[in-house]
Amino acid sequence: MSSITYGKVTRDILRPLFKPSAAYMGLLGLCVAGVGLLLFCWYVQLTQGLGVAGYAPPVFWGVYITTFVFWIGIGHAGTLISAILFLFRSKWRTGVYRASEAMTVFAVMTAGLFPALHVGRAWNAYWLFPYPNQRELWQNFKSPLMWDVFAVSTYFTVSTVFFYIGLIPDLAAVRDKTRGIIQKTYGFMALGWRGTDRQWRHYMAAYGFFAAFATPLVLSVHSVVSWDFAMAQTMGWHSTLFPPYFVAGAIFSGCAMVITLLMPMSLIFKWDEYIGMWHYESLAKMCLLTGSILTYAYGTEYFIAWYSDNPYEWGIFHFRAVGEDYAWVFYMMVFCNCLAPLIWWFKKMRTNLWVLFIVSIIINIGMWFERYNIIASALAHQYDPNAWTYYAPTWVEIGILIGSFGWFGLWFTLFIRVMPSVAIAEIKELLRPPLKSDEAAA
Amino acid sequence: MSYFDRHNRPTPGAVKGVFAHLDCLVDGIDQLKKAGVKDFIVTSPLPRHEIEEMMYEGRPSPVRWFNLAGALFGGSSGFSLAALTHLNWPMIIPAGKPLVSIPAFIIITFEATVLFGCLFTLIGLLVHCRLPANDLQYEVKDPRYSDDHFGIIVNNLTADTAEKVRGILAHTGAVEVSGMEAAHAS
């Protein structure tokens, strides 16, 4: 980066703004079609009832909760990169953190749809929030589902504030490079930021506090999500292993999603000076670490089930691996999450763009199947053999699953055209500042 | 004079220096301080420790008190919400399990601590940065300051002190000095 100047950074990062190509409009159209599919499927469910979602005793958690956990997990990498790596002063985060943070916010927005979808009567979804009923009876704060409401809403609020605060100096840079109504709009969003010594002083202090507060959220949110399962007396769920296992899985899938999203973005916008192989390789190493923890957790789950000598516990794990209903889901999960990423142990493979891109997609497919494996197989195969059943997603659920990618993609696609997707001010911090003494020496 | 005119015209008694180099800027701040000039603003496109150190000499930002207050408020209100609502409708729980359960309520306490800690920090940031800021003086609103230049804006100058300040800014390497009188290029 020695040849890059402050001015070049501003120009390069603002270059793609407001210049939609035909391919971009096509992608946007695809996302809008996905949202249309989501809305249509939701309409079908609202008018015909939750039966169209395949809910039948004893399985009342299915694709919606699977996809909810999947999207919450995706969000984790953004907070890890923006907050934890900021506190560690990791330099590679700078290029990728803005888009990763945006991914976090949009992923949580996508996840937020699913409780409303899952409860059926979506217009009553506000009952989840803490307020008393007519008899002054409040929600049960000892319930993991109530913890989840607090955890996810706090996560969304903190992530959004952190994301917006990080954007303010760059919104000011957009304001100063545009004219007319666009300038006024960005000036409004930048809150009048001018980069004065007073502003930077308090900004940097506050940013550090936001990072310090967002850091435990990375660990806590998916721990709390895991307790939605682990606190229940359900075989295959009731385990103290779940919180670290879920957190590792969340970071694993999130880092893979960052590779999936940022690689095409960087190549299309010609940002290889800012987001390059250094970043992809670092993300691949994060995936290797968290993927190894995940593989270890899968093994530990089986060991605990066997060692507990509990026939019900062992029964569900045995069923997952060799039962005829869900074994393919289990092996899909093992292949995608445990075996496929191993190729990244070879430097040649983790520095190959095609391998990086394809394996990152495989990981995300595997992480969705992991949650499906946990939820569907456990509920379909509980204590009473007479109640055993087979749950498979209906077309409505699959439509909503696909539509959720459209919803997420719509926000992300809009974001990359109207906001600086790489942090301008922080990239400048990585550069050697312009010095008169350097010019004199040259 | 309308509100907008007031902030889109040069401020009486202000001199602005634009710098292309950080070392020149730091030298300029140092020279101004040695000359006894106190009322000035420094702008930059990125946070630099050199500038903060020269301007504030290691004094920490008061935003931290907002953070602490928010965290304490959030933690205590989160725990109180969970505990008082359970005490308000006491149920007999078998096996001697406590009505106010510390492990269960720690989750709500923690989340409320983080939530209010962040929201109070946001308020502290906006208050201390004086954001939204629509009343900043004309000299601070130079588009170069968000791109690749630094600036020093000195306020409340008389004709005599302005000449001295312009001299310091030009001497320390400002690429443009303006205000009070016609611009002086170094």
Side-chain angles (χ1 to χ4, degrees):
Chain A
M1 282 198 174
S2 57
S3 63
I4 303 176
T5 61
Y6 287 178
K8 178 174 161 51
V9 171
T10 312
R11 282 194 304 277
D12 284 352
I13 294 171
L14 299 189
R15 189 180 355 101
L17 293 189
F18 320 118
K19 292 173 188 165
S21 61
Y24 173 82
M25 294 309 288
L27 184 63
L28 197 64
L30 201 64
C31 294
V32 171
V35 174
L37 177 66
L38 185 147
L39 292 175
F40 173 71
C41 293
W42 200 347
Y43 170 77
V44 170
Q45 182 179 293
L46 288 172
T47 52
Q48 297 184 26
L50 268 174
V52 296
Y55 285 177
V59 181
F60 287 104
W61 283 16
V63 165
Y64 296 155
I65 300 297
T66 300
T67 315
F68 166 76
V69 179
F70 171 80
W71 282 114
I72 291 286
I74 291 296
H76 277 56
T79 319
L80 173 100
I81 291 167
S82 60
I84 297 182
L85 296 185
F86 173 79
L87 295 180
F88 279 100
R89 299 292 184 262
S90 171
K91 287 186 176 171
W92 69 267
R93 78 175 268 284
T94 310
V96 296
Y97 98 87
R98 170 67 48 72
S100 308
E101 256 182 357
M103 181 191 79
T104 294
V105 174
F106 303 145
V108 179
M109 281 166 57
T110 310
L113 296 174
F114 283 90
L117 282 154
H118 170 74
V119 295
R121 290 180 291 168
W123 53 92
N124 286 335
Y126 69 93
W127 288 0
L128 290 164
F129 290 99
Y131 72 99
N133 69 6
Q134 295 90 330
R135 296 182 297 149
E136 292 189 18
L137 178 64
W138 290 64
Q139 281 93 338
N140 179 10
F141 293 106
K142 293 172 184 169
S143 161
L145 298 182
M146 201 61 224
W147 300 344
D148 209 14
V149 171
F150 271 75
V152 174
S153 51
T154 299
Y155 188 45
F156 179 68
T157 310
V158 173
S159 299
T160 307
V161 168
F162 197 34
F163 172 59
Y164 186 67
I165 293 301
L167 264 173
I168 287 176
D170 295 350
L171 291 171
V174 182
R175 173 201 61 205
D176 292 340
K177 291 285 181 191
T178 49
R179 292 284 173 270
I181 186 73
I182 295 177
Q183 186 186 41
K184 283 190 168 57
T185 307
Y186 281 86
F188 177 77
M189 289 192 289
L191 304 176
W193 177 270
R194 292 290 170 179
T196 64
D197 56 279
R198 178 194 188 91
Q199 289 178 338
W200 278 124
R201 177 193 183 211
H202 301 302
Y203 178 91
M204 289 311 290
Y207 200 83
F209 287 123
F210 287 132
F213 269 49
T215 294
L217 279 186
V218 177
L219 305 176
S220 73
V221 175
H222 232 54
S223 297
V224 171
V225 169
S226 83
W227 287 328
D228 289 345
F229 305 96
M231 290 287 169
Q233 300 284 337
T234 303
M235 291 298 109
W237 291 2
H238 192 58
S239 168
T240 52
L241 177 68
F242 264 37
Y245 162 28
F246 268 52
V247 170
I251 296 170
F252 179 58
S253 63
C255 287
M257 187 62 106
V258 174
I259 296 175
T260 310
L261 292 174
L262 264 61
M263 192 185 289
M265 186 180 84
S266 173
L267 292 174
I268 291 167
F269 294 162
K270 298 184 174 56
W271 279 345
D272 51 320
E273 285 174 306
Y274 308 108
I275 306 174
M277 194 51 75
W278 180 35
H279 304 93
Y280 307 140
E281 202 182 348
S282 302
L283 287 161
K285 286 177 182 171
M286 288 290 296
C287 285
L288 279 176
L289 171 69
T290 48
S292 303
I293 296 171
L294 201 62
T295 305
Y296 178 74
Y298 291 165
T300 307
E301 265 197 314
Y302 269 81
F303 173 76
I304 292 171
W306 169 75
Y307 194 66
S308 68
D309 205 22
N310 179 337
Y312 298 105
E313 183 79 5
W314 179 244
I316 185 68
F317 281 93
H318 185 266
F319 170 71
R320 280 176 182 165
V322 300
E324 62 183 25
D325 293 344
Y326 296 103
W328 71 276
V329 176
F330 175 80
Y331 290 108
M332 186 85 175
M333 172 190 94
V334 170
F335 169 75
C336 296
N337 299 341
C338 307
L339 301 177
L342 294 180
I343 199 169
W344 283 346
W345 282 105
F346 302 100
K347 188 176 175 68
K348 198 173 176 183
M349 292 292 114
R350 69 170 183 267
T351 52
N352 180 304
L353 292 180
W354 279 109
V355 174
L356 279 164
F357 188 66
I358 291 168
V359 174
S360 70
I361 291 173
I362 290 174
I363 289 172
N364 274 305
I365 293 169
M367 285 308 296
W368 188 88
F369 274 100
E370 182 209 274
R371 280 67 176 252
Y372 185 73
N373 175 63
I374 291 169
I375 293 168
S377 65
L379 293 177
H381 204 82
Q382 274 301 305
Y383 298 93
D384 181 4
N386 281 322
W388 288 352
T389 186
Y390 175 64
Y391 163 81
T394 63
W395 70 267
V396 172
E397 288 173 296
I398 292 169
I400 284 175
L401 168 64
I402 295 168
S404 74
F405 282 88
W407 167 262
F408 172 82
L410 180 67
W411 286 103
F412 196 81
T413 314
L414 288 172
F415 162 78
I416 59 176
R417 280 294 180 197
V418 299
M419 294 286 170
S421 308
V422 176
I424 299 171
E426 290 205 35
I427 286 285
K428 288 174 184 172
E429 282 185 71
L430 287 184
L431 306 176
R432 184 170 171 78
L435 300 173
K436 191 85 173 174
S437 55
D438 283 356
E439 283 184 11
Chain B
M1 188 187 293
S2 76
Y3 176 84
F4 289 104
D5 285 344
R6 188 155 53 90
H7 298 295
N8 286 312
R9 289 182 179 185
T11 313
V15 167
K16 175 174 95 170
V18 180
F19 292 79
H21 301 98
L22 182 64
D23 47 357
C24 297
L25 177 90
V26 171
D27 192 25
I29 298 170
D30 191 35
Q31 295 297 325
L32 286 174
K33 286 175 81 175
K34 282 179 180 162
V37 179
K38 289 180 179 169
D39 190 1
F40 62 94
I41 299 167
V42 178
T43 63
S44 70
L46 73 164
R48 291 296 312 186
H49 291 299
E50 300 94 327
I51 300 172
E52 189 177 336
E53 193 56 41
M54 301 255 347
M55 297 295 286
Y56 298 101
E57 296 169 350
R59 290 196 305 278
S61 163
V63 168
R64 68 193 194 283
W65 296 114
F66 283 80
N67 185 268
L68 179 66
L72 291 174
F73 171 77
S76 53
S77 54
F79 186 82
S80 303
L81 173 71
L84 296 177
T85 53
H86 277 69
L87 291 170
N88 190 42
W89 194 295
M91 290 185 293
I92 300 166
I93 303 171
K97 289 174 185 167
L99 203 57
V100 176
S101 166
I102 302 292
F105 293 168
I106 282 291
I107 316 293
I108 305 291
T109 308
F110 168 79
E111 298 296 344
T113 303
V114 171
L115 179 65
F116 284 97
C118 279
L119 292 178
F120 275 50
T121 306
L122 176 65
I123 293 167
L125 173 70
L126 296 177
V127 167
H128 284 283
C129 288
R130 295 177 188 165
L131 295 174
N134 58 1
D135 59 348
L136 289 174
Q137 66 183 94
Y138 174 78
E139 286 75 14
V140 177
K141 298 178 189 173
D142 189 323
R144 288 173 290 182
Y145 296 154
S146 65
D147 190 6
D148 55 356
H149 281 75
F150 305 88
I152 297 179
I153 298 100
V154 188
N155 285 309
N156 295 323
L157 296 171
T158 60
D160 290 343
T161 51
E163 194 54 43
K164 186 179 159 191
V165 164
R166 280 199 303 270
I168 290 173
L169 296 176
H171 178 71
T172 52
V175 292
E176 180 189 310
V177 179
S178 59
M180 296 283 279
E181 287 179 6
H184 293 238
S186 63

